[in-house]
Amino acid sequence: MHTPTIAEPIPARLINPLAGTDRAQEIMRSAFREPPRPPSAGTRNSQAKLTERKVYAIRRSADLGAGLSALAEAFNISERACRHIARRTSWAHLPERD
């Protein structure tokens, strides 16, 4: 049986067994934080057809019951893009307006 001498350091895991748990909890918390905004999101994208004002107009109109195909035609975008804007899956970095 090995008897530790005074000169040998005590392993950190024996001093604070919860240190690994704290790190695990921090990793779990970080998964629910807001992801960083991509550098080309929204109007920073050189190919963007919409501005933030137009996106808010699409969202507001869709919430009030406007048809997605009519909105898509009015803003010269696809119906699919309009649906994603209305569901807030694209342009998700924009906060909700009151």
Side-chain angles (χ1 to χ4, degrees):
M1 178 175 184
H2 176 68
T3 308
T5 62
I6 296 175
E8 291 181 30
I10 300 173
R13 61 182 166 73
L14 296 178
I15 295 172
N16 186 2
L18 297 178
T21 306
D22 295 340
R23 178 69 182 136
Q25 288 175 350
E26 179 59 31
I27 291 169
M28 287 300 293
R29 279 190 216 108
S30 68
F32 296 100
R33 290 193 187 121
E34 191 172 316
R37 181 177 169 188
S40 62
T43 54
R44 293 185 197 174
N45 185 336
S46 62
Q47 300 294 314
K49 291 184 177 182
L50 301 174
T51 62
E52 292 179 2
R53 262 181 105 175
K54 290 180 180 179
V55 170
Y56 283 123
I58 292 171
R59 286 180 178 178
R60 188 170 42 253
S61 299
D63 289 345
L64 294 174
L68 294 179
S69 58
L71 286 172
E73 189 176 327
F75 288 96
N76 195 28
I77 59 174
S78 69
E79 190 173 339
R80 181 180 180 181
C82 193
R83 181 175 59 249
H84 284 284
I85 290 170
R87 290 182 181 172
R88 279 107 169 130
T89 54
S90 67
W91 290 79
H93 64 277
L94 293 181
E96 291 295 320
R97 277 194 174 168
D98 294 327

